[in-house]
Amino acid sequence: RHKLLDATPSFFALRRANRAGFDEALLFSPEGYLSETAFANLFFLKRGVLYTPSLDCGPLKGTRREFILELCRELKLPVVEGKFRLKELLSADEAFITSAREDACPITKVGRFKLREPAGKPFWKRVREAIEWREKQGEALLP
């Protein structure tokens, strides 16, 4: 639950994903639950509920992750932090990743499986806009 100086496993996972033609790599807990990507936190929406892997699954806490959880509390959007299998991500209405480097980006494909595209404005764009607005206001993302 803390950042290590050795990001070697993430670099190797990302390099392997890049060689296969992908931009990012999904990482899993030792038990096979979704954890995060090589360098970002993972979220998916299903029927108006936002899901993200529990910290027990190994993702870093992440400033963007915490901001999104706080934003959802403010918006009264239900959030479930839990243990999820890949099939749950693949059946999502929308999926995205967040990081301090990229703010929020959609997940459009996992392997050969194309994910759904949401009707209307995707939640990841709303998240990115909220982050950008806060930063333009000179406000910290988190108190």
Side-chain angles (χ1 to χ4, degrees), residues 68-133:
I68 292 167
L69 296 176
E70 179 61 32
L71 180 65
C72 288
R73 283 189 282 275
E74 289 174 15
L75 298 173
K76 301 203 183 336
L77 177 71
V79 177
V80 176
E81 293 181 76
K83 295 180 178 182
F84 309 108
R85 300 285 183 183
L86 180 58
K87 68 180 180 178
E88 293 165 287
L89 173 65
L90 297 179
S91 66
D93 299 325
E94 176 184 354
F96 63 97
I97 59 173
T98 63
S99 71
R101 179 182 53 154
E102 295 291 335
D103 288 333
C105 295
I107 300 173
T108 58
K109 256 171 64 171
V110 175
R112 286 178 250 161
F113 191 87
K114 188 168 173 33
L115 298 182
R116 290 187 189 123
E117 291 185 36
K121 189 176 204 172
F123 190 71
W124 73 267
K125 275 193 178 176
R126 296 169 195 262
V127 167
R128 181 180 278 177
E129 289 171 357
I131 291 169
E132 290 171 355
W133 184 84

Side-chain angles (χ1 to χ4, degrees), residues 30-71:
E31 300 81 24
Y33 296 110
L34 292 168
S35 177
E36 58 189 345
T37 70
F39 293 100
N41 289 108
L42 176 65
F43 293 88
F44 60 96
L45 281 147
K46 208 177 225 184
R47 289 183 226 101
V49 177
L50 185 69
Y51 296 87
T52 190
S54 162
L55 295 178
D56 292 337
C57 294
L60 289 176
K61 200 169 180 178
T63 57
R64 297 305 190 258
R65 180 182 186 279
E66 290 301 305
F67 172 76
I68 292 167
L69 296 176
E70 179 61 32
L71 180 65

